[in-house]
Amino acid sequence: MTAVPTDRPDLRDSAFLRAARGESVPHTPVWFMRQAGRSLPEYLKIREGVGMLESCMDPALVVEITLQPVRRYAVDAAIFFSDIVLPLKAVGVDLDIKPGVGPVVASPVRTLADVAAIPDLTPEHVPFITEAVRGLVGELGSTPLIGFAGAPFTVASYLVEGGPSKEHAKTKAMMFGAPDVWDALMRKIAGISAAYLRVQVEAGASAVQLFDSWAGALTPDDYREHVMPHSARVLADAGELGVPRIHFGVGTANLLGLMGDAGADVVGVDWRTPLADAIPLVGDRVVQGNLDPTLVFAPTDVMTARAGQVIEAGRAAKGHIFNLGHGVIPSTDPDQLKRLTEFVQSYPV
Protein backbone atom coordinates (compact mmCIF):
# COMPACT_ATOMS: atom_id res chain seq x y z
CA MET A 1 0.00 0.00 0.00
CA THR A 2 1.36 3.44 -0.87
CA ALA A 3 0.95 6.90 0.58
CA VAL A 4 -1.83 8.11 -1.69
CA PRO A 5 -2.01 11.71 -0.41
CA THR A 6 1.51 12.59 -1.59
CA ASP A 7 0.35 11.83 -5.13
CA ARG A 8 -2.40 14.46 -4.95
CA PRO A 9 -1.33 17.75 -6.60
CA ASP A 10 -2.92 19.90 -3.90
CA LEU A 11 -0.73 18.24 -1.27
CA ARG A 12 2.44 17.93 -3.29
CA ASP A 13 2.35 21.67 -3.91
CA SER A 14 1.80 22.57 -0.26
CA ALA A 15 4.38 24.95 1.16
CA PHE A 16 5.32 22.43 3.86
CA LEU A 17 6.00 19.51 1.52
CA ARG A 18 7.77 21.73 -1.02
CA ALA A 19 10.07 23.03 1.73
CA ALA A 20 10.67 19.50 3.03
CA ARG A 21 11.84 18.52 -0.46
CA GLY A 22 14.08 21.59 -0.72
CA GLU A 23 11.95 23.23 -3.41
CA SER A 24 10.90 26.86 -3.78
CA VAL A 25 8.00 27.93 -1.58
CA PRO A 26 5.31 30.64 -1.74
CA HIS A 27 6.03 31.41 1.92
CA THR A 28 8.05 29.90 4.75
CA PRO A 29 5.86 27.08 6.07
CA VAL A 30 5.18 26.93 9.79
CA TRP A 31 3.80 24.42 12.26
CA PHE A 32 4.45 23.89 15.97
CA MET A 33 5.50 20.90 17.98
CA ARG A 34 2.85 20.18 20.59
CA GLN A 35 0.70 22.65 18.65
CA ALA A 36 -2.49 20.86 19.75
CA GLY A 37 -1.31 20.81 23.34
CA ARG A 38 -2.32 22.22 26.65
CA SER A 39 -2.37 25.89 25.65
CA LEU A 40 -5.66 25.68 23.75
CA PRO A 41 -8.87 26.12 25.77
CA GLU A 42 -10.74 23.86 23.34
CA TYR A 43 -8.12 21.18 23.95
CA LEU A 44 -8.46 21.46 27.72
CA LYS A 45 -12.22 21.22 27.42
CA ILE A 46 -12.27 18.11 25.26
CA ARG A 47 -9.60 16.39 27.37
CA GLU A 48 -11.38 17.07 30.67
CA GLY A 49 -11.64 13.78 32.55
CA VAL A 50 -9.98 11.82 29.73
CA GLY A 51 -6.53 10.27 30.26
CA MET A 52 -3.74 10.95 27.78
CA LEU A 53 -3.44 7.41 26.46
CA GLU A 54 -7.20 7.02 26.40
CA SER A 55 -7.49 10.16 24.26
CA CYS A 56 -4.76 8.90 21.91
CA MET A 57 -6.71 5.67 21.33
CA ASP A 58 -10.03 7.36 20.54
CA PRO A 59 -10.14 8.12 16.78
CA ALA A 60 -12.76 10.85 17.10
CA LEU A 61 -10.75 12.61 19.81
CA VAL A 62 -7.50 12.28 17.86
CA VAL A 63 -9.11 13.81 14.79
CA GLU A 64 -10.60 16.70 16.74
CA ILE A 65 -7.45 17.45 18.74
CA THR A 66 -5.22 17.29 15.67
CA LEU A 67 -7.52 19.66 13.79
CA GLN A 68 -7.87 22.26 16.57
CA PRO A 69 -4.62 24.16 15.92
CA VAL A 70 -5.10 23.93 12.16
CA ARG A 71 -8.45 25.66 12.52
CA ARG A 72 -7.15 28.26 14.99
CA TYR A 73 -3.78 29.09 13.45
CA ALA A 74 -4.05 28.00 9.78
CA VAL A 75 -0.62 26.37 10.09
CA ASP A 76 0.94 24.69 7.06
CA ALA A 77 0.91 21.16 8.48
CA ALA A 78 -0.90 19.15 11.11
CA ILE A 79 1.00 16.90 13.52
CA PHE A 80 -0.76 13.67 14.42
CA PHE A 81 -1.90 13.73 18.04
CA SER A 82 -0.23 10.81 19.81
CA ASP A 83 2.38 10.01 22.42
CA ILE A 84 5.84 8.48 22.29
CA VAL A 85 4.83 5.47 24.41
CA LEU A 86 1.47 4.77 22.75
CA PRO A 87 2.80 1.97 20.50
CA LEU A 88 4.17 0.20 23.60
CA LYS A 89 0.78 0.46 25.27
CA ALA A 90 -0.85 -0.87 22.12
CA VAL A 91 1.28 -4.05 22.10
CA GLY A 92 0.56 -4.71 25.75
CA VAL A 93 3.33 -3.10 27.80
CA ASP A 94 1.99 -2.22 31.26
CA LEU A 95 2.43 1.55 31.42
CA ASP A 96 0.49 4.70 32.05
CA ILE A 97 1.01 8.44 31.70
CA LYS A 98 0.68 10.04 35.11
CA PRO A 99 -0.23 13.75 35.20
CA GLY A 100 2.71 15.86 36.25
CA VAL A 101 5.10 12.94 35.89
CA GLY A 102 4.91 11.43 32.41
CA PRO A 103 5.09 7.83 31.20
CA VAL A 104 5.56 5.30 34.01
CA VAL A 105 6.37 1.65 33.22
CA ALA A 106 5.21 -0.97 35.73
CA SER A 107 8.03 -3.47 35.05
CA PRO A 108 11.16 -1.83 33.64
CA VAL A 109 13.21 -3.77 31.11
CA ARG A 110 16.31 -5.43 32.53
CA THR A 111 16.96 -8.71 30.67
CA LEU A 112 16.79 -10.34 27.26
CA ALA A 113 13.68 -12.13 28.46
CA ASP A 114 12.07 -8.77 29.22
CA VAL A 115 12.80 -7.64 25.68
CA ALA A 116 11.51 -10.87 24.16
CA ALA A 117 8.25 -10.44 26.06
CA ILE A 118 7.46 -7.24 24.13
CA PRO A 119 5.42 -8.12 21.02
CA ASP A 120 6.19 -6.64 17.63
CA LEU A 121 3.64 -4.08 16.49
CA THR A 122 1.28 -4.92 13.65
CA PRO A 123 -1.56 -2.86 12.12
CA GLU A 124 -3.96 -5.07 14.06
CA HIS A 125 -2.64 -3.56 17.30
CA VAL A 126 -3.58 -0.02 16.25
CA PRO A 127 -6.77 -0.02 14.16
CA PHE A 128 -7.73 3.24 15.89
CA ILE A 129 -4.64 4.89 14.38
CA THR A 130 -5.60 3.89 10.86
CA GLU A 131 -9.14 5.12 11.45
CA ALA A 132 -7.94 8.44 12.90
CA VAL A 133 -5.46 9.14 10.10
CA ARG A 134 -7.99 8.37 7.40
CA GLY A 135 -10.49 10.63 9.09
CA LEU A 136 -7.93 13.41 9.36
CA VAL A 137 -6.86 13.19 5.73
CA GLY A 138 -10.48 13.63 4.71
CA GLU A 139 -10.85 16.70 6.94
CA LEU A 140 -7.48 18.34 6.25
CA GLY A 141 -7.82 18.63 2.49
CA SER A 142 -4.71 20.40 1.18
CA THR A 143 -3.02 20.58 4.60
CA PRO A 144 -0.46 17.76 5.00
CA LEU A 145 -0.49 15.47 8.02
CA ILE A 146 2.80 14.65 9.75
CA GLY A 147 3.06 11.17 11.25
CA PHE A 148 4.71 10.81 14.63
CA ALA A 149 6.87 8.28 16.48
CA GLY A 150 9.40 8.21 19.29
CA ALA A 151 12.98 7.36 18.39
CA PRO A 152 14.50 4.16 19.81
CA PHE A 153 16.81 5.80 22.37
CA THR A 154 14.13 7.94 23.98
CA VAL A 155 11.58 5.12 24.10
CA ALA A 156 14.23 2.74 25.44
CA SER A 157 15.07 5.19 28.21
CA TYR A 158 11.46 5.17 29.43
CA LEU A 159 11.41 1.37 29.38
CA VAL A 160 14.72 0.97 31.22
CA GLU A 161 14.31 3.81 33.72
CA GLY A 162 10.66 3.03 34.37
CA GLY A 163 9.78 6.68 33.74
CA PRO A 164 11.29 10.06 32.90
CA SER A 165 14.92 10.60 33.90
CA LYS A 166 17.35 13.51 33.85
CA GLU A 167 20.52 11.45 34.13
CA HIS A 168 19.53 8.32 32.16
CA ALA A 169 21.89 6.42 34.43
CA LYS A 170 20.14 3.05 34.17
CA THR A 171 19.80 3.48 30.43
CA LYS A 172 23.49 4.14 29.97
CA ALA A 173 24.39 1.36 32.42
CA MET A 174 22.60 -1.09 30.13
CA MET A 175 24.06 0.46 27.00
CA PHE A 176 27.62 0.14 28.31
CA GLY A 177 27.32 -2.88 30.63
CA ALA A 178 24.81 -5.15 28.91
CA PRO A 179 25.25 -4.42 25.20
CA ASP A 180 23.44 -7.59 24.17
CA VAL A 181 20.30 -6.56 26.04
CA TRP A 182 20.63 -2.99 24.81
CA ASP A 183 20.98 -4.05 21.18
CA ALA A 184 18.00 -6.38 21.44
CA LEU A 185 15.88 -3.65 23.05
CA MET A 186 16.84 -1.05 20.45
CA ARG A 187 16.08 -3.47 17.62
CA LYS A 188 12.72 -4.22 19.16
CA ILE A 189 11.80 -0.54 19.53
CA ALA A 190 13.09 0.35 16.08
CA GLY A 191 10.80 -2.29 14.63
CA ILE A 192 7.84 -0.98 16.62
CA SER A 193 8.50 2.67 15.69
CA ALA A 194 8.96 1.82 12.01
CA ALA A 195 5.74 -0.19 11.96
CA TYR A 196 3.88 2.60 13.74
CA LEU A 197 5.02 5.19 11.20
CA ARG A 198 4.18 2.83 8.34
CA VAL A 199 0.61 2.48 9.61
CA GLN A 200 0.24 6.26 9.65
CA VAL A 201 1.73 6.79 6.19
CA GLU A 202 -0.25 3.99 4.59
CA ALA A 203 -3.40 5.52 6.05
CA GLY A 204 -2.55 8.91 4.54
CA ALA A 205 0.17 10.82 6.44
CA SER A 206 2.30 12.90 4.05
CA ALA A 207 5.49 13.16 6.15
CA VAL A 208 6.90 11.73 9.38
CA GLN A 209 8.81 13.09 12.34
CA LEU A 210 10.98 10.94 14.59
CA PHE A 211 11.30 12.48 18.07
CA ASP A 212 14.47 11.71 20.02
CA SER A 213 13.78 13.86 23.05
CA TRP A 214 16.65 12.53 25.17
CA ALA A 215 19.38 11.99 22.57
CA GLY A 216 21.18 15.10 23.79
CA ALA A 217 22.33 13.06 26.79
CA LEU A 218 24.77 11.20 24.53
CA THR A 219 28.26 11.90 23.21
CA PRO A 220 28.71 11.71 19.43
CA ASP A 221 30.71 8.46 19.69
CA ASP A 222 28.09 6.79 21.89
CA TYR A 223 25.29 7.99 19.63
CA ARG A 224 27.10 6.74 16.53
CA GLU A 225 27.76 3.29 17.98
CA HIS A 226 24.76 2.53 20.16
CA VAL A 227 21.86 4.59 18.81
CA MET A 228 22.31 5.83 15.26
CA PRO A 229 21.98 2.41 13.52
CA HIS A 230 18.57 1.89 15.10
CA SER A 231 17.23 5.35 14.28
CA ALA A 232 18.60 4.84 10.78
CA ARG A 233 16.53 1.67 10.46
CA VAL A 234 13.34 3.56 11.32
CA LEU A 235 14.13 6.38 8.92
CA ALA A 236 15.12 3.98 6.14
CA ASP A 237 11.81 2.18 6.46
CA ALA A 238 9.96 5.49 6.26
CA GLY A 239 12.07 6.44 3.26
CA GLU A 240 10.76 3.42 1.38
CA LEU A 241 7.29 4.95 1.66
CA GLY A 242 8.37 8.03 -0.26
CA VAL A 243 7.55 10.66 2.37
CA PRO A 244 9.84 13.36 3.82
CA ARG A 245 11.48 12.37 7.10
CA ILE A 246 12.09 14.87 9.92
CA HIS A 247 14.48 13.97 12.75
CA PHE A 248 14.36 16.06 15.92
CA GLY A 249 16.14 15.92 19.26
CA VAL A 250 16.60 18.22 22.25
CA GLY A 251 20.05 19.53 23.20
CA THR A 252 21.60 17.84 20.18
CA ALA A 253 24.00 20.51 18.89
CA ASN A 254 26.82 17.96 18.97
CA LEU A 255 24.72 15.36 17.14
CA LEU A 256 23.05 17.33 14.34
CA GLY A 257 25.30 16.01 11.59
CA LEU A 258 24.85 12.43 12.74
CA MET A 259 21.10 12.83 13.07
CA GLY A 260 21.01 13.97 9.47
CA ASP A 261 23.27 11.12 8.37
CA ALA A 262 20.90 8.68 10.05
CA GLY A 263 18.57 9.27 7.13
CA ALA A 264 16.72 12.53 7.68
CA ASP A 265 15.54 14.78 4.89
CA VAL A 266 14.84 17.51 7.45
CA VAL A 267 16.81 18.03 10.67
CA GLY A 268 15.01 19.73 13.52
CA VAL A 269 17.12 22.17 15.53
CA ASP A 270 16.22 23.13 19.08
CA TRP A 271 16.42 26.73 20.29
CA ARG A 272 19.83 26.36 21.92
CA THR A 273 21.67 26.21 18.59
CA PRO A 274 21.46 29.15 16.17
CA LEU A 275 20.36 28.02 12.71
CA ALA A 276 23.44 29.73 11.27
CA ASP A 277 25.56 27.30 13.28
CA ALA A 278 23.37 24.28 12.61
CA ILE A 279 23.09 24.57 8.83
CA PRO A 280 26.75 23.76 8.05
CA LEU A 281 26.51 20.75 10.37
CA VAL A 282 23.52 19.13 8.67
CA GLY A 283 24.90 19.44 5.15
CA ASP A 284 22.62 19.49 2.13
CA ARG A 285 19.44 19.06 4.14
CA VAL A 286 16.40 21.08 5.06
CA VAL A 287 16.30 22.50 8.59
CA GLN A 288 13.34 22.96 10.90
CA GLY A 289 13.06 25.41 13.76
CA ASN A 290 13.93 27.08 15.91
CA LEU A 291 12.48 30.08 17.81
CA ASP A 292 12.87 29.87 21.58
CA PRO A 293 9.41 28.81 22.86
CA THR A 294 9.60 31.44 25.60
CA LEU A 295 9.71 34.27 23.06
CA VAL A 296 5.95 33.98 22.56
CA PHE A 297 5.70 35.51 26.06
CA ALA A 298 7.65 38.58 24.94
CA PRO A 299 6.05 41.68 23.39
CA THR A 300 4.82 40.91 19.89
CA ASP A 301 7.38 43.13 18.19
CA VAL A 302 10.21 41.42 20.06
CA MET A 303 8.86 37.98 19.16
CA THR A 304 8.43 38.80 15.48
CA ALA A 305 11.84 40.47 15.25
CA ARG A 306 13.47 37.29 16.53
CA ALA A 307 11.31 35.17 14.25
CA GLY A 308 12.51 37.28 11.32
CA GLN A 309 16.10 36.56 12.31
CA VAL A 310 15.36 32.83 12.30
CA ILE A 311 13.80 33.04 8.84
CA GLU A 312 16.73 35.04 7.49
CA ALA A 313 19.21 32.50 8.89
CA GLY A 314 17.18 29.68 7.32
CA ARG A 315 17.80 31.10 3.84
CA ALA A 316 21.28 29.54 3.90
CA ALA A 317 19.84 26.03 4.12
CA LYS A 318 18.53 23.78 1.35
CA GLY A 319 15.10 24.58 2.74
CA HIS A 320 13.54 25.87 5.95
CA ILE A 321 10.41 24.92 7.88
CA PHE A 322 9.67 27.35 10.69
CA ASN A 323 8.92 25.91 14.11
CA LEU A 324 9.66 26.59 17.74
CA GLY A 325 12.85 25.08 19.09
CA HIS A 326 10.75 22.66 21.18
CA GLY A 327 7.09 22.20 22.06
CA VAL A 328 4.55 24.91 22.78
CA ILE A 329 4.62 25.82 26.49
CA PRO A 330 1.24 25.09 28.15
CA SER A 331 0.70 28.67 29.36
CA THR A 332 1.26 30.14 25.87
CA ASP A 333 -1.35 32.67 24.72
CA PRO A 334 -2.99 31.14 21.61
CA ASP A 335 -3.54 34.60 20.16
CA GLN A 336 0.18 35.28 20.30
CA LEU A 337 0.90 32.02 18.50
CA LYS A 338 -1.61 33.07 15.84
CA ARG A 339 0.25 36.37 15.41
CA LEU A 340 3.50 34.46 15.03
CA THR A 341 1.99 32.17 12.39
CA GLU A 342 0.69 35.10 10.39
CA PHE A 343 4.03 36.89 10.63
CA VAL A 344 5.98 33.89 9.35
CA GLN A 345 3.56 33.19 6.49
CA SER A 346 3.59 36.82 5.36
CA TYR A 347 7.38 37.26 5.62
CA PRO A 348 8.94 37.82 2.16
CA VAL A 349 10.58 34.70 0.73
Side-chain angles (χ1 to χ4, degrees):
M1 192 171 180
T2 57
V4 176
T6 56
D7 296 328
R8 284 168 34 191
D10 56 341
L11 275 174
R12 285 195 60 84
D13 287 337
S14 72
F16 169 78
L17 289 175
R18 289 187 64 86
R21 296 192 299 264
E23 299 171 0
S24 62
V25 292
H27 62 266
T28 300
V30 51
W31 68 279
F32 303 108
M33 287 180 281
R34 205 159 58 207
Q35 66 184 8
R38 295 160 286 177
S39 62
L40 293 180
E42 56 266 39
Y43 171 85
L44 296 173
K45 182 178 180 180
I46 200 171
R47 278 286 317 281
E48 190 172 347
V50 184
M52 179 63 181
L53 289 174
E54 183 184 350
S55 64
C56 291
M57 299 172 80
D58 182 325
L61 269 181
V62 171
V63 170
E64 172 59 22
I65 292 171
T66 303
L67 289 173
Q68 285 176 350
V70 179
R71 293 192 199 107
R72 183 181 275 265
Y73 304 132
V75 284
D76 292 287
I79 179 70
F80 187 67
F81 178 73
S82 185
D83 189 87
I84 281 176
V85 298
L86 178 65
L88 298 177
K89 181 72 172 181
V91 300
V93 174
D94 187 359
L95 60 83
D96 196 11
I97 297 179
K98 295 189 176 181
V101 178
V104 177
V105 180
S107 300
V109 171
R110 294 288 181 267
T111 66
L112 284 172
D114 293 338
V115 177
I118 302 173
D120 294 325
L121 185 140
T122 68
E124 289 69 33
H125 286 112
V126 287
F128 50 90
I129 298 297
T130 299
E131 182 181 344
V133 172
R134 287 176 176 168
L136 277 165
V137 170
E139 293 283 347
L140 284 167
S142 59
T143 301
L145 176 66
I146 305 169
F148 163 96
F153 177 78
T154 293
V155 177
S157 183
Y158 282 117
L159 282 172
V160 175
E161 302 285 343
S165 171
K166 293 182 179 179
E167 296 82 15
H168 310 284
K170 295 175 183 176
T171 305
K172 292 184 180 182
M174 178 184 287
M175 188 169 70
F176 299 135
D180 55 337
V181 181
W182 176 257
D183 185 68
L185 178 59
M186 292 291 277
R187 288 177 183 273
K188 173 68 69 172
I189 298 170
I192 289 173
S193 292
Y196 189 56
L197 288 177
R198 181 172 286 269
V199 166
Q200 294 171 68
V201 173
E202 290 185 342
S206 297
V208 296
Q209 176 155 308
L210 192 65
F211 284 80
D212 212 349
S213 307
W214 309 130
L218 298 165
T219 68
D221 285 346
D222 291 336
Y223 179 85
R224 184 184 292 108
E225 179 178 355
H226 299 290
V227 174
M228 184 175 170
H230 306 286
S231 293
R233 175 187 168 190
V234 181
L235 293 166
D237 189 86
E240 292 176 0
L241 301 172
V243 297
R245 300 156 294 177
I246 308 168
H247 200 184
F248 174 76
V250 180
T252 52
N254 60 337
L255 304 177
L256 289 173
L258 295 173
M259 292 179 72
D261 291 344
D265 302 298
V266 182
V267 177
V269 183
D270 84 350
W271 79 93
R272 299 171 181 85
T273 305
L275 279 190
D277 295 341
I279 290 167
L281 298 175
V282 305
D284 188 31
R285 293 185 174 89
V286 178
V287 292
Q288 179 175 279
N290 70 337
L291 187 72
D292 186 332
T294 65
L295 274 162
V296 298
F297 296 91
T300 301
D301 60 340
V302 175
M303 174 187 72
T304 54
R306 291 289 292 274
Q309 292 173 10
V310 171
I311 297 170
E312 290 294 337
R315 297 186 190 282
K318 178 180 180 180
H320 178 216
I321 298 166
F322 189 94
N323 209 311
L324 301 180
H326 199 193
V328 175
I329 296 170
S331 54
T332 296
D333 176 2
D335 291 339
Q336 187 74 327
L337 213 55
K338 173 67 172 175
R339 296 181 195 105
L340 176 60
T341 303
E342 293 172 344
F343 173 81
V344 174
Q345 291 173 334
S346 63
Y347 197 92
V349 294

